[in-house]
Amino acid sequence: MKFNIDNPKHVYVNAKGQELSGAFLQQYGDNWVLQMAIEQHPYLAQFCHSSLNSLRICTYRSVEDEEITILSAAIRIGHEGSVVDNLHAGGGLVGIDVETGKLGHEVYDQYANRTTILNDIDFAHSNFVIPEWNRIVEFCKQVVKLNHHCRLIALDITLDKDNQPRFIEWNVGGYGFSFWIPMMTGITSLGSKTDEIVEYCLKHKKI
């Protein structure tokens, strides 16, 4: 839920006209988080101005040498008018080349239906490249180093208006890691580390 400042009244209101107040938050008990919205980089905002268009970057920390590898990446783009970018709310998914940061030419919805146009943008005839891609990759690796318990982590990242990578959240576990996201864009979930991971799991499986 997003609140915007209503300058004449000097209060924050959501799309339903509800004011942000202590009374409003009380209805959720202690199950809420209040934080300032990130103002994203203009390059990312061009895909959808109403939502934060986040990068889903899947990482793996090797069981052999602790090296962190970027397995896959994609950008989630909101449907114009929506404040969220997830596919289940009508958004789209576009794959990203992990070496270059270049966007693919196809857009996928939550059912893996494929198109080339979203929010009147023709991805088939465009050559979009995520700004500061190398910095974003290094930023992801630094974030992953902070988690000593999980080797497969899917990060949600964005680039803010000041050209700085921003960490939104990390996703772990079978569902959280979202193995289906890279597969939807035609990329294997575990990439070049598939054999290493399979071999490790076979050796350490619980019988």
Side-chain angles (χ1 to χ4, degrees):
M1 187 181 306
K2 184 178 180 181
F3 290 83
N4 293 304
I5 187 70
D6 184 333
N7 286 322
K9 294 183 177 181
H10 299 289
V11 295
Y12 286 93
V13 296
N14 63 19
K16 296 180 180 180
Q18 299 168 309
E19 293 186 10
L20 177 62
S21 64
F24 178 85
L25 295 174
Q26 282 180 355
Q27 66 182 307
Y28 298 101
D30 59 1
N31 187 25
W32 55 269
V33 174
L34 185 64
Q35 61 186 37
M36 187 70 70
I38 296 173
E39 188 174 345
Q40 67 186 328
H41 193 282
Y43 194 91
L44 299 184
Q46 71 178 310
F47 302 121
C48 177
H49 294 87
S50 61
S51 72
L52 180 69
N53 306 301
S54 60
L55 309 175
R56 171 58 64 90
I57 300 177
C58 297
T59 67
Y60 167 63
R61 181 165 52 86
S62 175
V63 295
E64 295 184 352
D65 57 15
E66 298 297 318
E67 179 184 3
I68 298 169
T69 300
I70 305 299
L71 300 175
S72 65
I75 182 171
R76 293 180 301 188
I77 300 171
H79 182 74
E80 196 65 61
S82 174
V83 298
V84 294
D85 63 2
N86 63 69
L87 273 65
H88 307 301
L93 182 77
V94 180
I96 301 174
D97 184 289
V98 297
E99 298 297 330
T100 64
K102 184 177 180 179
L103 269 61
H105 298 298
E106 297 174 331
V107 184
Y108 300 84
D109 68 9
Q110 64 174 325
Y111 303 111
N113 293 315
R114 181 172 54 188
T115 184
T116 58
I117 298 177
L118 178 63
N119 297 330
D120 296 325
I121 299 173
D122 184 357
F123 287 87
H125 298 92
S126 302
N127 291 293
F128 295 115
V129 180
I130 300 298
E132 304 292 340
W133 180 248
N134 290 334
R135 283 183 60 210
I136 291 172
V137 167
E138 290 307 311
F139 176 76
C140 288
K141 292 180 179 180
Q142 293 303 314
V143 171
V144 169
K145 288 179 181 178
L146 300 176
N147 188 320
H148 304 285
H149 308 286
C150 303
R151 293 190 177 275
L152 288 170
I153 303 177
L155 301 173
D156 288 341
I157 303 291
T158 194
L159 194 66
D160 70 16
K161 64 181 180 65
D162 297 317
N163 228 29
Q164 298 299 317
R166 298 286 293 272
F167 169 62
I168 301 171
E169 67 177 13
W170 55 35
N171 304 271
V172 298
Y175 181 79
F177 187 78
S178 302
F179 289 91
W180 55 273
I181 287 183
M183 293 173 67
M184 187 180 287
T185 62
I187 303 172
T188 57
S189 296
L190 304 179
S192 62
K193 299 298 181 176
T194 301
D195 289 343
E196 177 183 317
I197 295 172
V198 169
E199 289 174 7
Y200 178 85
C201 291
L202 289 174
K203 289 180 180 178
H204 296 82
K205 67 179 180 179
K206 296 180 180 180
I207 299 175

